[in-house]
Amino acid sequence: MATQEWSIQEIARVAGTTSRTLRHYDDVGLLAPSRVGSNGYRYYDQRCLVRLQRILLLRELGLGLPAIADVLDGERDSAAALAVHLEWLCQERDRIERQIASVTTTLRKLEGGEQIMATEAFDGFDHTQYKDEVIERWGKDAWERGDNWWRSLSDKDKREFQQRQYDIAADFAAAHKQGKAADSDDVQAIAQRQYDWIAIGWQGKRPTADEFVGLGQLYVDDPRFTAHYDRHGEGTAAFIRDAMATYAERTLR
Amino acid sequence: MATQEWSIQEIARVAGTTSRTLRHYDDVGLLAPSRVGSNGYRYYDQRCLVRLQRILLLRELGLGLPAIADVLDGERDSAAALAVHLEWLCQERDRIERQIASVTTTLRKLEGGEQIMATEAFDGFDHTQYKDEVIERWGKDAWERGDNWWRSLSDKDKREFQQRQYDIAADFAAAHKQGKAADSDDVQAIAQRQYDWIAIGWQGKRPTADEFVGLGQLYVDDPRFTAHYDRHGEGTAAFIRDAMATYAERTLR
DNA sequence: GCTTGACCTTGACGTAGCGTCAACTTCTAC
DNA sequence: GTAGAAGTTGACGCTACGTCAAGGTCAAGC
C-alpha cells in the first residue's frame, strides 16, 4: 500500500539518520510527521520519506537547514542556493588553505630553533595605530611620506623589513642578556643597524640626534612599543633606548 | 615604567581585540588580569600583554582556547600542538574539497536539466522477469504481495524506490573500492540500509537471517543480478553478498 | 553637589545542529 | 503483571565570543 507508515525509529534507520534528528527537524519546522498519534507518537509516510531523503542529500552537500527549507518549499531555486553555497565553500577552503600555510611556516621555524611569537607578531602590524603620534611628533608630511612608502611595498618586502627589525631587536636582547653594556662597541654596532633601518622607513630622511634619542625614549614610554621589544626579554626596550642615546651622542652630533 | 598598567579597554585596543574577549579569557581561566581593583575593575600589566599577544597569535593560526592554554602553560609543546592542529586543518580542507566537488557536479546536472534525485536508476527494470524465482523461493503469496505493491506505486515512487537501491549499491561499491572490509562497521551500516530497503519491498515482512543470506547469494548466482551490481565495479556483487551474510549473522540471529 | 557621559561590572541569551542524559509514559511480548 | 524496547518533552553541552540589559564608578564641567 502507498499509505504505508513508519515509526520515528524505523524511518530514521531507513533513511540513515537518527530519531533525534527527526525530532529536531520537526521542532524547527523542516519536516513534520504525516500523523501524530493520540499518544504523541510521530508517524511518517512515503511523502515524508522522500522529503527527508532530499533534506539529507542537501545536508550532505553542506547546506544549512534554513536554506534547505527554502529550496524544498519552492521559495528558492535549488541551483541558486547551491551556487551561493558553493561560493561559501570556496571562501572557507581559501581560509583554511591560508591557515595551513601559516601553521606550516610556523612549524618550520620552530624546527629551525627559532622562537615563536616573533616575526608573525609583527605581521599583523598595523602601522596606522601610530598615526596620531607620528603626526604630533614629526608632522603630517612625515606621516604621509612613511604611509605612502609602506603601502607601496609588496607583502614580501614588508615581511623582510619587519624581519630586519626583528633580527635587530633579537640581537639587542641577546647582548643585553649577555651583560654587554649599551655603550659597548658590539651594541653600538647594532645601534648603527637600527639607525639604518629607521632611515629606510623614513625614506632617506636620516634622523637627527635628537630625533633618534626621542625615538628610543618612545620605545620605553609607549606601552605598545615596550611590549613589542620586551617580548625578546625584560628590559630590552630600556636597553635599546640607552644604546640609541649613546649612538646619537657619539655618532650623530 | 615597567610596572605600567592598563584598563581593559586600553589593553584591548593595544592588542587589537575587544574587552569582551578579555573578559571571556578571564572567565575560562586563560588570561587573568594582573590586578583587580576594589571596584571590580580589571587591570593588566606588561606580562599580561605579552601573554595576550601570544594567545591572539595562536588564535590566528586557528588553535582552540584549551590548546592555547596547554601550550602557554608549558603543559604541551607548541610544535606538537601545531602539528596536531595542522592534521585537523588538512582533514577539514579535504572535507570541503569533497563538498565543493559534490556541489559542482550537482550544479552541472541541474544545468543539464536533470532532475535532482531522479538519476540513472534501474533502467528498464522489469520485475516480472524474476517471477519464477520468487515463487520458487518464497511462495506464490510473496510474489503476489510484492507484485500488487509494486503496481500500486506511482512512477515517481517507483523511481525513488529504485533510486534508493541505486544509492545503496553505489555506496557498497565505493566502500569496496576503498578496501573496506565487508564486516566493517561502515559496510554493515550499508547492509542495514539494504535490509530495510528489502523490507519495504516485502511490504513489512522483514526477511529472516536465512532469507537475507539467500538473497545475497542470489546476487552472485544469478547473472542478471550480478551484472546489475557489478556495473558499479567488479566484484561488487560478491562484496554485497559477504556484507549481507555478516549482517544476518550478527544482527538477525 | 549634581548631571553627563564614558567606562566598568555581572548575567544571560544567541549562534548550528544535533548528541546526550533525565524523567516519565506507552506499547509489545512473555 | 512485568520487563524491555521505544516513545515523549525538557534541558544542558559544544566554540568563542557578540550583543543587549541593568546598574555601579569615575572624571569633568556647571
Side-chain angles (χ1 to χ4, degrees):
Chain A
M1 298 312 235
T3 60
Q4 194 170 355
E5 266 186 347
W6 299 278
S7 74
I8 194 166
Q9 288 251 22
E10 286 167 351
I11 201 176
R13 268 212 321 278
V14 166
T17 183
T18 69
S19 59
R20 176 66 179 92
T21 298
L22 288 164
R23 274 193 285 270
H24 183 58
Y25 290 168
D26 190 8
D27 287 345
V28 300
L30 182 57
L31 176 64
S34 55
R35 185 173 72 83
V36 177
S38 58
N39 49 14
Y41 282 26
R42 294 171 176 82
Y43 296 99
Y44 299 82
D45 63 9
Q46 290 268 6
R47 291 235 305 272
C48 292
L49 178 53
V50 171
R51 187 177 169 93
L52 175 57
Q53 287 177 321
R54 291 189 172 162
I55 291 171
L56 295 177
L57 180 85
L58 294 174
R59 274 256 55 202
E60 274 181 42
L61 295 179
L63 276 172
L65 299 190
I68 292 176
D70 286 348
V71 169
L72 293 189
D73 297 342
E75 293 176 8
R76 213 181 146 73
D77 184 17
S78 55
L82 284 178
V84 169
H85 180 55
L86 186 57
E87 185 68 22
W88 218 104
L89 285 172
C90 289
Q91 286 180 14
E92 266 300 288
R93 180 194 50 190
D94 293 346
R95 205 176 56 80
I96 299 216
E97 296 273 18
R98 279 198 302 275
Q99 281 204 347
I100 287 177
S102 296
V103 172
T104 303
T105 57
T106 304
L107 268 177
R108 254 206 295 276
K109 283 182 186 165
L110 282 175
E111 283 170 8
E114 278 189 56
Q115 280 303 311
I116 213 179
M117 316 290 166
T119 314
E120 262 67 16
F122 229 155
D123 241 358
F125 172 75
D126 175 18
H127 72 294
T128 61
Q129 66 178 318
Y130 299 104
K131 181 176 181 179
D132 293 341
E133 282 86 338
V134 169
I135 292 178
E136 189 185 340
R137 274 179 178 254
W138 297 293
K140 202 151 190 268
D141 285 347
W143 163 257
E144 284 176 354
R145 205 166 54 229
D147 188 41
N148 284 331
W149 167 74
W150 179 255
R151 291 181 193 284
S152 75
L153 294 182
S154 68
D155 280 0
K156 187 155 156 285
D157 288 339
K158 283 179 184 169
R159 254 202 306 281
E160 278 167 6
F161 182 72
Q162 292 175 340
Q163 181 63 45
R164 278 190 60 185
Q165 172 54 33
Y166 172 69
D167 291 339
I168 292 170
D171 289 345
F172 267 129
H176 181 216
K177 199 175 174 188
Q178 287 168 29
K180 291 185 181 170
D183 59 357
S184 68
D185 288 347
D186 286 349
V187 174
Q188 285 301 300
I190 306 174
Q192 164 97 53
R193 287 161 56 204
Q194 173 81 352
Y195 182 77
D196 292 337
W197 178 78
I198 289 169
I200 294 175
W202 283 25
Q203 274 286 277
K205 191 276 174 207
R206 306 184 71 81
T208 64
D210 285 342
E211 286 167 346
F212 198 54
V213 170
L215 208 47
Q217 187 60 42
L218 177 66
Y219 293 166
V220 174
D221 290 340
D222 189 311
R224 296 165 299 187
F225 282 104
T226 314
H228 175 65
Y229 287 114
D230 276 3
R231 216 165 32 197
H232 297 276
E234 230 180 299
T236 301
F239 182 73
I240 293 178
R241 175 201 53 188
D242 295 343
M244 287 170 72
T246 299
Y247 182 83
E249 294 309 317
R250 285 199 193 153
T251 314
L252 301 180
R253 295 217 191 266
Chain B
M1 297 311 231
T3 59
Q4 194 167 356
E5 266 186 348
W6 301 279
S7 73
I8 194 166
Q9 287 251 22
E10 286 168 351
I11 200 175
R13 269 211 317 278
V14 167
T17 182
T18 70
S19 59
R20 176 66 180 92
T21 297
L22 288 164
R23 273 193 285 271
H24 183 60
Y25 290 168
D26 189 9
D27 287 345
V28 300
L30 182 57
L31 176 65
S34 55
R35 187 172 71 84
V36 178
S38 58
N39 49 15
Y41 284 25
R42 294 172 176 82
Y43 297 99
Y44 298 82
D45 62 9
Q46 290 268 3
R47 290 235 305 272
C48 291
L49 177 53
V50 172
R51 187 177 168 92
L52 175 57
Q53 287 177 320
R54 290 188 174 163
I55 291 171
L56 295 177
L57 180 84
L58 293 174
R59 273 257 56 199
E60 273 181 43
L61 295 179
L63 276 169
L65 299 190
I68 293 176
D70 287 348
V71 169
L72 292 188
D73 296 342
E75 294 175 8
R76 211 181 148 74
D77 185 17
S78 55
L82 284 178
V84 169
H85 180 56
L86 185 56
E87 184 69 21
W88 217 103
L89 285 172
C90 289
Q91 286 180 14
E92 266 299 289
R93 179 195 50 190
D94 293 346
R95 204 176 57 79
I96 301 229
E97 295 275 20
R98 279 198 302 273
Q99 281 203 348
I100 287 176
S102 296
V103 171
T104 303
T105 58
T106 303
L107 268 176
R108 254 205 295 274
K109 281 184 187 168
L110 282 175
E111 283 171 8
E114 278 190 54
Q115 277 305 310
I116 226 175
M117 315 282 175
T119 38
E120 52 248 274
F122 254 48
D123 27 348
F125 173 72
D126 176 13
H127 73 293
T128 62
Q129 66 180 317
Y130 299 106
K131 181 176 181 180
D132 293 341
E133 283 85 342
V134 170
I135 291 179
E136 188 185 340
R137 274 180 178 254
W138 297 293
K140 201 151 189 271
D141 284 353
W143 164 256
E144 282 174 359
R145 204 167 54 228
D147 188 42
N148 283 334
W149 168 73
W150 180 253
R151 289 179 194 286
S152 76
L153 294 182
S154 67
D155 281 359
K156 186 155 155 284
D157 287 340
K158 283 178 184 170
R159 254 204 310 282
E160 276 162 8
F161 182 72
Q162 293 174 337
Q163 178 63 41
R164 280 191 56 191
Q165 173 54 34
Y166 177 79
D167 290 340
I168 291 171
D171 288 347
F172 267 128
H176 182 216
K177 198 174 175 187
Q178 286 169 31
K180 291 185 181 169
D183 60 358
S184 67
D185 287 346
D186 286 349
V187 174
Q188 286 300 300
I190 307 174
Q192 163 102 51
R193 286 161 57 202
Q194 171 81 351
Y195 182 76
D196 291 330
W197 178 78
I198 289 169
I200 292 175
W202 285 24
Q203 272 292 277
K205 191 278 174 208
R206 303 182 76 80
T208 64
D210 284 335
E211 286 167 347
F212 197 54
V213 170
L215 209 47
Q217 187 60 42
L218 177 66
Y219 294 168
V220 174
D221 290 340
D222 189 313
R224 294 167 301 187
F225 279 103
T226 313
H228 174 65
Y229 287 114
D230 277 4
R231 206 167 46 185
H232 297 276
E234 230 181 295
T236 301
F239 182 71
I240 294 178
R241 176 201 52 189
D242 296 343
M244 288 171 70
T246 299
Y247 182 83
E249 294 307 316
R250 285 202 196 150
T251 313
L252 302 180
R253 295 214 191 268

